[in-house]
Amino acid sequence: MYQILNDKPEKVATLSGIDFIYPDAKGGVAALQGVNLDINEGEFVCVLGPSGCGKSTLLKIIAGFLKPSCGEARMGNEIIKGPDWHRGVMFQDPTLYPWLNVQDNIAFGLKMRKFPQSQIKRITDQYIELVGLKGFEKSKPYELSGGMKQRASLARTLVNKPTMLLMDEPFGALDALTRQNMQDLVREIWMKTGNTVLLITHDVDEALALATRIIVMSRSPGRILKEFAAEFTYRISGSEHEMVRYKPEYMELREEILKIISSQNERLKLSQHNPKILLERK
Ligand SMILES: Nc1ncnc2c1ncn2[C@@H]1O[C@H](COP(=O)(O)OP(=O)(O)OP(=O)(O)O)[C@@H](O)[C@H]1O
Ligand SMILES: [Mg+2]
């Protein structure tokens, strides 16, 4: 199943000229510099880049947790002024209330939004089924495995039907097999719902397995270095399955992305020996 893109895709979020500086005693840490990015409806955007390059900062700006030091972040035509349920956020650590069971954790957002009880039950059941947690409705978070907690977290986010799903290394703490199961689940949900997704990852194979667009960032202060269109996610979900990873076009793109990332790490190593390199870049 290939997505048919319109000539003029609908923009869901727009970042224009974003700088972000974390204040500190020495005048601030520049985390992002001149970031411009349009995220279109139905896209699955994966962001890759060296550690500390500003990936989480970028996600937090779109989520509305941080306000850019310079530039504008918009959702549709509106400036993002704070977090809201149109943008669902998922982090590496599952966000579940330990004293609530799976069902009540998932229902939480709808209760806050004062949905009628009967509707809450119906929607919650639907998402419990979707993430494969049927039979665990009454379990408390401490009774669940890491993967199950992330499934519950995902349902808790999706239940609000966010326009955009923002995920910051959501599977980073999971073992390889659970991680792949979660990737398959997220892909399946994305294909079913047509949601717009932005996912941050350290793992180039995760990006290649899920993205329709891959964004590679420079080391700190983060800038967008390069973007790649990708379509392996459709092929993995189709008849080729995991065999796609052995195709020359997959390996070529993987190699190209890894080269860019490792050249960034080389720059870091060199700049530690010769601080002039950092200055030259600016
Ligand atoms: N609250 C903070 N206060 C000061 N500096 C911060 C803060 N959060 C992040 N930074 C700095 O901003 C830069 C970007 O951080 P960010 O967490 O966005 O990077 P990242 O790409 O997500 O890293 P990682 O891949 O390790 O998660 C880093 O230099 C980091 O040290
Ligand atoms: Mg991060």
Side-chain angles (χ1 to χ4, degrees), residues 95-113 115 117 119-141 144 148-162:
T95 38
L96 298 170
Y97 292 121
W99 60 89
L100 295 180
N101 66 28
V102 166
Q103 185 147 33
D104 293 338
N105 260 296
I106 297 173
F108 188 82
L110 300 176
K111 277 190 188 152
M112 286 294 105
R113 289 166 60 200
F115 273 56
Q117 196 54 43
Q119 221 176 327
I120 292 179
K121 172 84 175 81
R122 186 177 53 75
I123 300 173
T124 310
D125 283 350
Q126 191 188 331
Y127 281 90
I128 286 173
E129 174 104 46
L130 185 71
V131 300
L133 281 179
K134 210 159 187 307
F136 295 92
E137 294 85 342
K138 301 292 170 212
S139 302
K140 294 271 178 63
L144 304 176
M148 289 161 95
K149 278 186 212 162
Q150 276 306 48
R151 280 170 191 265
S153 257
L154 180 61
R156 190 179 141 111
T157 310
L158 289 173
V159 88
N160 289 310
K161 293 206 167 78

Tab-separated table of all heavy atoms in Angstrom, residues 95-113 115 117 119-141 144 148-162:
chain	number	residue	atom	x	y	z
A	95	THR	N	4.740	6.817	30.362
A	95	THR	CA	4.099	7.756	31.283
A	95	THR	C	2.759	7.172	31.716
A	95	THR	O	1.744	7.351	31.045
A	95	THR	CB	3.885	9.129	30.610
A	95	THR	OG1	3.508	8.873	29.252
A	95	THR	CG2	5.115	9.983	30.615
A	96	LEU	N	2.824	6.410	32.805
A	96	LEU	CA	1.616	5.789	33.351
A	96	LEU	C	1.544	6.111	34.832
A	96	LEU	O	2.576	6.171	35.506
A	96	LEU	CB	1.679	4.261	33.176
A	96	LEU	CG	1.739	3.727	31.740
A	96	LEU	CD1	2.041	2.243	31.738
A	96	LEU	CD2	0.429	4.011	31.002
A	97	TYR	N	0.332	6.306	35.337
A	97	TYR	CA	0.183	6.496	36.775
A	97	TYR	C	0.244	5.133	37.447
A	97	TYR	O	-0.560	4.241	37.120
A	97	TYR	CB	-1.151	7.176	37.100
A	97	TYR	CG	-1.210	8.597	36.619
A	97	TYR	CD1	-2.178	9.013	35.720
A	97	TYR	CD2	-0.284	9.530	37.069
A	97	TYR	CE1	-2.229	10.327	35.267
A	97	TYR	CE2	-0.328	10.845	36.619
A	97	TYR	CZ	-1.289	11.226	35.723
A	97	TYR	OH	-1.323	12.524	35.278
A	98	PRO	N	1.175	4.940	38.395
A	98	PRO	CA	1.373	3.611	38.981
A	98	PRO	C	0.148	3.116	39.759
A	98	PRO	O	-0.038	1.913	39.923
A	98	PRO	CB	2.586	3.777	39.904
A	98	PRO	CG	2.901	5.221	39.962
A	98	PRO	CD	2.155	5.931	38.872
A	99	TRP	N	-0.677	4.038	40.259
A	99	TRP	CA	-1.821	3.623	41.085
A	99	TRP	C	-3.068	3.318	40.251
A	99	TRP	O	-4.071	2.858	40.780
A	99	TRP	CB	-2.134	4.698	42.147
A	99	TRP	CG	-2.480	6.036	41.548
A	99	TRP	CD1	-3.711	6.480	41.182
A	99	TRP	CD2	-1.568	7.103	41.246
A	99	TRP	NE1	-3.631	7.743	40.658
A	99	TRP	CE2	-2.337	8.156	40.689
A	99	TRP	CE3	-0.188	7.265	41.389
A	99	TRP	CZ2	-1.757	9.351	40.282
A	99	TRP	CZ3	0.380	8.465	40.980
A	99	TRP	CH2	-0.406	9.488	40.434
A	100	LEU	N	-3.006	3.567	38.942
A	100	LEU	CA	-4.168	3.267	38.083
A	100	LEU	C	-3.899	2.018	37.253
A	100	LEU	O	-2.761	1.782	36.834
A	100	LEU	CB	-4.441	4.426	37.122
A	100	LEU	CG	-4.866	5.767	37.715
A	100	LEU	CD1	-5.079	6.795	36.595
A	100	LEU	CD2	-6.153	5.618	38.530
A	101	ASN	N	-4.940	1.223	36.995
A	101	ASN	CA	-4.758	0.071	36.119
A	101	ASN	C	-4.706	0.528	34.656
A	101	ASN	O	-4.876	1.708	34.350
A	101	ASN	CB	-5.829	-1.001	36.386
A	101	ASN	CG	-7.232	-0.529	36.006
A	101	ASN	OD1	-7.395	0.313	35.121
A	101	ASN	ND2	-8.244	-1.063	36.682
A	102	VAL	N	-4.445	-0.450	33.758
A	102	VAL	CA	-4.265	-0.134	32.339
A	102	VAL	C	-5.457	0.641	31.800
A	102	VAL	O	-5.317	1.694	31.172
A	102	VAL	CB	-4.046	-1.457	31.537
A	102	VAL	CG1	-4.189	-1.241	30.048
A	102	VAL	CG2	-2.668	-2.033	31.855
A	103	GLN	N	-6.655	0.131	32.083
A	103	GLN	CA	-7.876	0.766	31.562
A	103	GLN	C	-8.003	2.220	32.038
A	103	GLN	O	-8.273	3.117	31.235
A	103	GLN	CB	-9.086	-0.035	32.038
A	103	GLN	CG	-10.373	0.468	31.462
A	103	GLN	CD	-11.351	-0.659	31.240
A	103	GLN	OE1	-11.352	-1.625	32.001
A	103	GLN	NE2	-12.142	-0.572	30.213
A	104	ASP	N	-7.778	2.432	33.340
A	104	ASP	CA	-7.944	3.785	33.881
A	104	ASP	C	-6.841	4.720	33.404
A	104	ASP	O	-7.062	5.919	33.222
A	104	ASP	CB	-8.007	3.746	35.412
A	104	ASP	CG	-9.276	3.051	35.884
A	104	ASP	OD1	-10.244	2.996	35.092
A	104	ASP	OD2	-9.301	2.534	37.020
A	105	ASN	N	-5.623	4.160	33.222
A	105	ASN	CA	-4.542	4.977	32.665
A	105	ASN	C	-4.907	5.456	31.270
A	105	ASN	O	-4.728	6.625	30.925
A	105	ASN	CB	-3.240	4.166	32.598
A	105	ASN	CG	-2.309	4.488	33.758
A	105	ASN	OD1	-1.836	5.603	33.891
A	105	ASN	ND2	-2.087	3.496	34.611
A	106	ILE	N	-5.434	4.529	30.462
A	106	ILE	CA	-5.768	4.878	29.073
A	106	ILE	C	-6.960	5.841	29.026
A	106	ILE	O	-7.020	6.738	28.189
A	106	ILE	CB	-6.016	3.589	28.245
A	106	ILE	CG1	-4.717	2.763	28.193
A	106	ILE	CG2	-6.501	3.906	26.822
A	106	ILE	CD1	-4.835	1.398	27.562
A	107	ALA	N	-7.869	5.668	29.970
A	107	ALA	CA	-9.083	6.505	29.995
A	107	ALA	C	-8.828	7.908	30.541
A	107	ALA	O	-9.673	8.812	30.379
A	107	ALA	CB	-10.148	5.814	30.845
A	108	PHE	N	-7.659	8.103	31.171
A	108	PHE	CA	-7.407	9.321	31.933
A	108	PHE	C	-7.680	10.619	31.148
A	108	PHE	O	-8.401	11.496	31.608
A	108	PHE	CB	-5.969	9.313	32.469
A	108	PHE	CG	-5.685	10.427	33.423
A	108	PHE	CD1	-6.058	10.308	34.755
A	108	PHE	CD2	-5.091	11.599	32.996
A	108	PHE	CE1	-5.822	11.336	35.649
A	108	PHE	CE2	-4.857	12.639	33.869
A	108	PHE	CZ	-5.210	12.504	35.199
A	109	GLY	N	-7.109	10.697	29.929
A	109	GLY	CA	-7.248	11.922	29.123
A	109	GLY	C	-8.707	12.217	28.799
A	109	GLY	O	-9.143	13.376	28.825
A	110	LEU	N	-9.456	11.170	28.499
A	110	LEU	CA	-10.873	11.356	28.129
A	110	LEU	C	-11.675	11.813	29.343
A	110	LEU	O	-12.581	12.644	29.223
A	110	LEU	CB	-11.443	10.046	27.569
A	110	LEU	CG	-10.758	9.497	26.310
A	110	LEU	CD1	-11.342	8.151	25.923
A	110	LEU	CD2	-10.899	10.489	25.150
A	111	LYS	N	-11.318	11.276	30.536
A	111	LYS	CA	-12.016	11.705	31.768
A	111	LYS	C	-11.756	13.178	32.013
A	111	LYS	O	-12.666	13.942	32.352
A	111	LYS	CB	-11.507	10.880	32.958
A	111	LYS	CG	-12.193	9.546	33.068
A	111	LYS	CD	-11.863	8.851	34.370
A	111	LYS	CE	-12.420	7.449	34.309
A	111	LYS	NZ	-11.682	6.481	35.118
A	112	MET	N	-10.492	13.576	31.821
A	112	MET	CA	-10.118	14.983	32.023
A	112	MET	C	-10.911	15.885	31.075
A	112	MET	O	-11.276	16.997	31.423
A	112	MET	CB	-8.616	15.190	31.748
A	112	MET	CG	-7.703	14.656	32.800
A	112	MET	SD	-7.885	15.562	34.340
A	112	MET	CE	-8.797	14.429	35.328
A	113	ARG	N	-11.169	15.347	29.863
A	113	ARG	CA	-11.906	16.148	28.873
A	113	ARG	C	-13.416	15.963	29.014
A	113	ARG	O	-14.181	16.392	28.153
A	113	ARG	CB	-11.416	15.776	27.461
A	113	ARG	CG	-10.009	16.295	27.216
A	113	ARG	CD	-9.365	15.678	25.989
A	113	ARG	NE	-10.122	15.948	24.800
A	113	ARG	CZ	-10.020	15.235	23.666
A	113	ARG	NH1	-9.196	14.213	23.599
A	113	ARG	NH2	-10.735	15.553	22.622
A	115	PHE	N	-15.507	13.409	28.830
A	115	PHE	CA	-16.280	12.558	27.933
A	115	PHE	C	-17.291	11.773	28.766
A	115	PHE	O	-16.998	11.397	29.904
A	115	PHE	CB	-15.354	11.564	27.211
A	115	PHE	CG	-14.747	12.090	25.935
A	115	PHE	CD1	-14.002	13.262	25.918
A	115	PHE	CD2	-14.901	11.390	24.744
A	115	PHE	CE1	-13.443	13.742	24.744
A	115	PHE	CE2	-14.342	11.866	23.567
A	115	PHE	CZ	-13.608	13.041	23.574
A	117	GLN	N	-19.221	8.670	30.401
A	117	GLN	CA	-18.668	7.388	30.845
A	117	GLN	C	-18.789	6.275	29.786
A	117	GLN	O	-17.843	5.525	29.550
A	117	GLN	CB	-19.382	6.971	32.150
A	117	GLN	CG	-18.673	5.874	32.929
A	117	GLN	CD	-17.207	6.197	33.230
A	117	GLN	OE1	-16.838	7.311	33.612
A	117	GLN	NE2	-16.340	5.199	33.026
A	119	GLN	N	-19.024	6.478	26.583
A	119	GLN	CA	-18.123	6.734	25.453
A	119	GLN	C	-16.669	6.400	25.837
A	119	GLN	O	-15.935	5.813	25.054
A	119	GLN	CB	-18.226	8.205	25.073
A	119	GLN	CG	-18.235	8.434	23.572
A	119	GLN	CD	-18.449	9.896	23.270
A	119	GLN	OE1	-19.145	10.599	24.012
A	119	GLN	NE2	-17.854	10.378	22.205
A	120	ILE	N	-16.304	6.765	27.083
A	120	ILE	CA	-14.941	6.494	27.562
A	120	ILE	C	-14.667	4.999	27.494
A	120	ILE	O	-13.650	4.547	26.985
A	120	ILE	CB	-14.737	7.006	29.015
A	120	ILE	CG1	-14.768	8.536	29.027
A	120	ILE	CG2	-13.424	6.487	29.605
A	120	ILE	CD1	-14.601	9.168	30.388
A	121	LYS	N	-15.632	4.197	27.973
A	121	LYS	CA	-15.461	2.739	28.005
A	121	LYS	C	-15.303	2.209	26.570
A	121	LYS	O	-14.409	1.407	26.292
A	121	LYS	CB	-16.688	2.131	28.701
A	121	LYS	CG	-16.792	0.632	28.658
A	121	LYS	CD	-15.968	0.004	29.789
A	121	LYS	CE	-16.138	-1.503	29.880
A	121	LYS	NZ	-15.334	-2.244	28.936
A	122	ARG	N	-16.144	2.696	25.681
A	122	ARG	CA	-16.112	2.198	24.294
A	122	ARG	C	-14.769	2.547	23.616
A	122	ARG	O	-14.106	1.691	23.047
A	122	ARG	CB	-17.290	2.814	23.501
A	122	ARG	CG	-17.458	2.259	22.094
A	122	ARG	CD	-18.663	2.855	21.391
A	122	ARG	NE	-18.691	4.316	21.390
A	122	ARG	CZ	-17.925	5.068	20.608
A	122	ARG	NH1	-17.072	4.518	19.784
A	122	ARG	NH2	-18.021	6.387	20.664
A	123	ILE	N	-14.351	3.808	23.772
A	123	ILE	CA	-13.108	4.234	23.101
A	123	ILE	C	-11.908	3.516	23.718
A	123	ILE	O	-11.019	3.037	23.023
A	123	ILE	CB	-12.938	5.775	23.185
A	123	ILE	CG1	-14.122	6.479	22.515
A	123	ILE	CG2	-11.634	6.217	22.548
A	123	ILE	CD1	-14.156	7.981	22.689
A	124	THR	N	-11.908	3.431	25.063
A	124	THR	CA	-10.780	2.790	25.750
A	124	THR	C	-10.641	1.340	25.303
A	124	THR	O	-9.543	0.875	25.000
A	124	THR	CB	-10.977	2.873	27.278
A	124	THR	OG1	-11.271	4.207	27.617
A	124	THR	CG2	-9.742	2.439	28.042
A	125	ASP	N	-11.756	0.619	25.265
A	125	ASP	CA	-11.725	-0.796	24.833
A	125	ASP	C	-11.147	-0.926	23.438
A	125	ASP	O	-10.347	-1.822	23.157
A	125	ASP	CB	-13.143	-1.404	24.847
A	125	ASP	CG	-13.582	-1.726	26.266
A	125	ASP	OD1	-12.730	-1.655	27.171
A	125	ASP	OD2	-14.783	-2.017	26.462
A	126	GLN	N	-11.544	0.000	22.585
A	126	GLN	CA	-11.074	-0.018	21.195
A	126	GLN	C	-9.535	0.107	21.131
A	126	GLN	O	-8.878	-0.630	20.400
A	126	GLN	CB	-11.739	1.184	20.517
A	126	GLN	CG	-11.649	1.273	19.032
A	126	GLN	CD	-12.202	2.650	18.588
A	126	GLN	OE1	-13.080	3.244	19.237
A	126	GLN	NE2	-11.660	3.159	17.510
A	127	TYR	N	-8.986	1.012	21.955
A	127	TYR	CA	-7.529	1.218	21.914
A	127	TYR	C	-6.767	0.117	22.646
A	127	TYR	O	-5.643	-0.220	22.264
A	127	TYR	CB	-7.162	2.629	22.408
A	127	TYR	CG	-7.417	3.637	21.319
A	127	TYR	CD1	-8.653	4.268	21.200
A	127	TYR	CD2	-6.449	3.895	20.355
A	127	TYR	CE1	-8.903	5.149	20.161
A	127	TYR	CE2	-6.694	4.770	19.310
A	127	TYR	CZ	-7.926	5.395	19.224
A	127	TYR	OH	-8.172	6.252	18.182
A	128	ILE	N	-7.396	-0.469	23.666
A	128	ILE	CA	-6.760	-1.603	24.348
A	128	ILE	C	-6.591	-2.750	23.358
A	128	ILE	O	-5.545	-3.394	23.270
A	128	ILE	CB	-7.601	-2.028	25.578
A	128	ILE	CG1	-7.429	-0.994	26.689
A	128	ILE	CG2	-7.218	-3.427	26.067
A	128	ILE	CD1	-8.320	-1.181	27.885
A	129	GLU	N	-7.615	-2.944	22.565
A	129	GLU	CA	-7.591	-3.980	21.523
A	129	GLU	C	-6.509	-3.641	20.478
A	129	GLU	O	-5.698	-4.499	20.102
A	129	GLU	CB	-8.980	-4.014	20.864
A	129	GLU	CG	-9.105	-4.914	19.673
A	129	GLU	CD	-9.835	-6.208	20.014
A	129	GLU	OE1	-10.886	-6.098	20.684
A	129	GLU	OE2	-9.352	-7.261	19.589
A	130	LEU	N	-6.488	-2.385	20.047
A	130	LEU	CA	-5.563	-1.959	18.999
A	130	LEU	C	-4.102	-2.204	19.385
A	130	LEU	O	-3.295	-2.621	18.563
A	130	LEU	CB	-5.785	-0.467	18.690
A	130	LEU	CG	-4.989	0.137	17.547
A	130	LEU	CD1	-5.491	-0.384	16.198
A	130	LEU	CD2	-5.091	1.658	17.545
A	131	VAL	N	-3.751	-1.939	20.648
A	131	VAL	CA	-2.345	-2.103	21.062
A	131	VAL	C	-2.060	-3.505	21.610
A	131	VAL	O	-0.959	-3.790	22.077
A	131	VAL	CB	-1.900	-1.025	22.095
A	131	VAL	CG1	-2.029	0.371	21.518
A	131	VAL	CG2	-2.673	-1.154	23.401
A	132	GLY	N	-3.062	-4.384	21.554
A	132	GLY	CA	-2.845	-5.774	21.947
A	132	GLY	C	-2.767	-5.981	23.455
A	132	GLY	O	-1.994	-6.820	23.925
A	133	LEU	N	-3.542	-5.231	24.233
A	133	LEU	CA	-3.504	-5.400	25.690
A	133	LEU	C	-4.798	-5.995	26.247
A	133	LEU	O	-5.053	-5.908	27.453
A	133	LEU	CB	-3.201	-4.063	26.372
A	133	LEU	CG	-1.730	-3.630	26.374
A	133	LEU	CD1	-1.565	-2.282	27.053
A	133	LEU	CD2	-0.821	-4.654	27.054
A	134	LYS	N	-5.589	-6.600	25.371
A	134	LYS	CA	-6.838	-7.201	25.828
A	134	LYS	C	-6.506	-8.295	26.856
A	134	LYS	O	-5.572	-9.073	26.673
A	134	LYS	CB	-7.602	-7.798	24.650
A	134	LYS	CG	-9.076	-7.772	24.842
A	134	LYS	CD	-9.815	-7.885	23.526
A	134	LYS	CE	-11.278	-7.696	23.690
A	134	LYS	NZ	-12.028	-8.405	24.566
A	135	GLY	N	-7.251	-8.312	27.960
A	135	GLY	CA	-6.963	-9.270	29.033
A	135	GLY	C	-6.107	-8.651	30.134
A	135	GLY	O	-5.954	-9.224	31.203
A	136	PHE	N	-5.515	-7.470	29.874
A	136	PHE	CA	-4.652	-6.834	30.880
A	136	PHE	C	-5.260	-5.529	31.388
A	136	PHE	O	-4.576	-4.720	32.012
A	136	PHE	CB	-3.263	-6.572	30.293
A	136	PHE	CG	-2.527	-7.837	29.961
A	136	PHE	CD1	-2.612	-8.390	28.690
A	136	PHE	CD2	-1.783	-8.506	30.932
A	136	PHE	CE1	-1.955	-9.569	28.386
A	136	PHE	CE2	-1.119	-9.683	30.634
A	136	PHE	CZ	-1.203	-10.226	29.357
A	137	GLU	N	-6.569	-5.334	31.125
A	137	GLU	CA	-7.234	-4.077	31.481
A	137	GLU	C	-7.065	-3.731	32.961
A	137	GLU	O	-6.921	-2.576	33.342
A	137	GLU	CB	-8.746	-4.137	31.182
A	137	GLU	CG	-9.126	-4.237	29.729
A	137	GLU	CD	-9.138	-5.658	29.192
A	137	GLU	OE1	-8.534	-6.552	29.825
A	137	GLU	OE2	-9.752	-5.884	28.133
A	138	LYS	N	-7.114	-4.769	33.803
A	138	LYS	CA	-7.104	-4.497	35.248
A	138	LYS	C	-5.697	-4.535	35.847
A	138	LYS	O	-5.518	-4.377	37.060
A	138	LYS	CB	-7.994	-5.536	35.989
A	138	LYS	CG	-9.442	-5.537	35.517
A	138	LYS	CD	-10.174	-4.255	35.905
A	138	LYS	CE	-11.529	-4.165	35.221
A	138	LYS	NZ	-11.930	-2.804	34.925
A	139	SER	N	-4.688	-4.808	35.007
A	139	SER	CA	-3.315	-4.885	35.527
A	139	SER	C	-2.783	-3.495	35.849
A	139	SER	O	-3.063	-2.528	35.143
A	139	SER	CB	-2.381	-5.525	34.499
A	139	SER	OG	-2.839	-6.798	34.150
A	140	LYS	N	-1.978	-3.448	36.921
A	140	LYS	CA	-1.307	-2.187	37.274
A	140	LYS	C	0.027	-2.125	36.518
A	140	LYS	O	0.581	-3.183	36.163
A	140	LYS	CB	-1.041	-2.151	38.786
A	140	LYS	CG	-2.307	-2.091	39.640
A	140	LYS	CD	-2.700	-0.630	39.850
A	140	LYS	CE	-3.980	-0.470	40.639
A	140	LYS	NZ	-3.928	-0.976	42.013
A	141	PRO	N	0.574	-0.932	36.288
A	141	PRO	CA	1.822	-0.825	35.527
A	141	PRO	C	2.934	-1.752	36.031
A	141	PRO	O	3.661	-2.323	35.229
A	141	PRO	CB	2.205	0.648	35.675
A	141	PRO	CG	0.884	1.335	35.803
A	141	PRO	CD	0.011	0.397	36.584
A	144	LEU	N	3.283	-5.154	34.425
A	144	LEU	CA	3.484	-5.242	32.974
A	144	LEU	C	4.967	-5.261	32.613
A	144	LEU	O	5.789	-4.696	33.328
A	144	LEU	CB	2.844	-4.021	32.280
A	144	LEU	CG	1.369	-3.738	32.530
A	144	LEU	CD1	0.974	-2.436	31.840
A	144	LEU	CD2	0.491	-4.884	32.029
A	148	MET	N	4.882	-3.912	27.247
A	148	MET	CA	3.448	-3.734	27.538
A	148	MET	C	3.182	-2.335	28.096
A	148	MET	O	2.150	-1.713	27.783
A	148	MET	CB	2.970	-4.805	28.517
A	148	MET	CG	2.888	-6.183	27.905
A	148	MET	SD	2.875	-7.425	29.204
A	148	MET	CE	1.138	-7.680	29.390
A	149	LYS	N	4.132	-1.851	28.907
A	149	LYS	CA	3.956	-0.486	29.445
A	149	LYS	C	3.961	0.522	28.303
A	149	LYS	O	3.172	1.466	28.288
A	149	LYS	CB	5.116	-0.156	30.404
A	149	LYS	CG	4.925	-0.711	31.790
A	149	LYS	CD	6.032	-0.223	32.685
A	149	LYS	CE	6.331	-1.285	33.707
A	149	LYS	NZ	7.583	-1.195	34.379
A	150	GLN	N	4.864	0.313	27.310
A	150	GLN	CA	4.895	1.242	26.176
A	150	GLN	C	3.634	1.116	25.327
A	150	GLN	O	3.152	2.094	24.772
A	150	GLN	CB	6.156	1.051	25.316
A	150	GLN	CG	7.400	1.772	25.803
A	150	GLN	CD	7.235	3.272	26.030
A	150	GLN	OE1	6.289	3.731	26.663
A	150	GLN	NE2	8.184	4.058	25.544
A	151	ARG	N	3.072	-0.103	25.240
A	151	ARG	CA	1.800	-0.276	24.521
A	151	ARG	C	0.701	0.532	25.218
A	151	ARG	O	-0.103	1.214	24.581
A	151	ARG	CB	1.389	-1.752	24.508
A	151	ARG	CG	2.115	-2.548	23.475
A	151	ARG	CD	1.884	-4.043	23.630
A	151	ARG	NE	2.820	-4.742	22.776
A	151	ARG	CZ	2.546	-5.168	21.545
A	151	ARG	NH1	1.342	-5.027	21.053
A	151	ARG	NH2	3.464	-5.755	20.824
A	152	ALA	N	0.672	0.439	26.560
A	152	ALA	CA	-0.347	1.174	27.325
A	152	ALA	C	-0.141	2.682	27.156
A	152	ALA	O	-1.098	3.444	26.982
A	152	ALA	CB	-0.282	0.778	28.797
A	153	SER	N	1.128	3.103	27.185
A	153	SER	CA	1.449	4.524	26.999
A	153	SER	C	0.990	5.018	25.629
A	153	SER	O	0.456	6.129	25.499
A	153	SER	CB	2.968	4.717	27.039
A	153	SER	OG	3.366	5.239	28.236
A	154	LEU	N	1.205	4.172	24.630
A	154	LEU	CA	0.815	4.519	23.263
A	154	LEU	C	-0.712	4.669	23.182
A	154	LEU	O	-1.225	5.646	22.628
A	154	LEU	CB	1.319	3.420	22.310
A	154	LEU	CG	1.033	3.581	20.823
A	154	LEU	CD1	1.689	4.851	20.274
A	154	LEU	CD2	1.570	2.371	20.036
A	155	ALA	N	-1.434	3.713	23.780
A	155	ALA	CA	-2.900	3.783	23.763
A	155	ALA	C	-3.381	5.025	24.502
A	155	ALA	O	-4.326	5.701	24.076
A	155	ALA	CB	-3.482	2.528	24.408
A	156	ARG	N	-2.716	5.343	25.621
A	156	ARG	CA	-3.073	6.506	26.426
A	156	ARG	C	-2.920	7.799	25.625
A	156	ARG	O	-3.676	8.758	25.803
A	156	ARG	CB	-2.135	6.515	27.641
A	156	ARG	CG	-2.472	7.481	28.710
A	156	ARG	CD	-1.451	7.318	29.813
A	156	ARG	NE	-1.127	8.600	30.327
A	156	ARG	CZ	-1.468	9.020	31.537
A	156	ARG	NH1	-2.104	8.216	32.346
A	156	ARG	NH2	-1.177	10.205	31.931
A	157	THR	N	-1.919	7.804	24.723
A	157	THR	CA	-1.713	8.969	23.866
A	157	THR	C	-2.720	8.983	22.719
A	157	THR	O	-3.338	10.009	22.419
A	157	THR	CB	-0.266	8.941	23.291
A	157	THR	OG1	0.631	8.740	24.370
A	157	THR	CG2	0.072	10.217	22.571
A	158	LEU	N	-2.920	7.801	22.103
A	158	LEU	CA	-3.769	7.727	20.902
A	158	LEU	C	-5.240	7.960	21.183
A	158	LEU	O	-5.993	8.382	20.315
A	158	LEU	CB	-3.614	6.349	20.244
A	158	LEU	CG	-2.280	6.068	19.548
A	158	LEU	CD1	-2.229	4.621	19.095
A	158	LEU	CD2	-2.086	7.001	18.352
A	159	VAL	N	-5.659	7.649	22.408
A	159	VAL	CA	-7.063	7.722	22.770
A	159	VAL	C	-7.611	9.146	22.575
A	159	VAL	O	-8.797	9.341	22.320
A	159	VAL	CB	-7.202	7.180	24.216
A	159	VAL	CG1	-7.000	8.254	25.237
A	159	VAL	CG2	-8.455	6.426	24.417
A	160	ASN	N	-6.718	10.114	22.648
A	160	ASN	CA	-7.141	11.511	22.450
A	160	ASN	C	-7.234	11.886	20.979
A	160	ASN	O	-7.496	13.043	20.657
A	160	ASN	CB	-6.154	12.457	23.138
A	160	ASN	CG	-6.260	12.375	24.632
A	160	ASN	OD1	-7.355	12.453	25.184
A	160	ASN	ND2	-5.140	12.184	25.302
A	161	LYS	N	-6.966	10.916	20.105
A	161	LYS	CA	-6.960	11.147	18.658
A	161	LYS	C	-6.142	12.393	18.281
A	161	LYS	O	-6.666	13.338	17.668
A	161	LYS	CB	-8.393	11.268	18.120
A	161	LYS	CG	-9.187	9.993	18.199
A	161	LYS	CD	-10.269	9.999	17.139
A	161	LYS	CE	-10.909	8.674	16.928
A	161	LYS	NZ	-11.883	8.202	17.837
A	162	PRO	N	-4.857	12.397	18.674
A	162	PRO	CA	-4.045	13.576	18.343
A	162	PRO	C	-3.840	13.692	16.839
A	162	PRO	O	-3.789	12.671	16.141
A	162	PRO	CB	-2.702	13.290	19.038
A	162	PRO	CG	-2.646	11.812	19.180
A	162	PRO	CD	-4.064	11.343	19.315
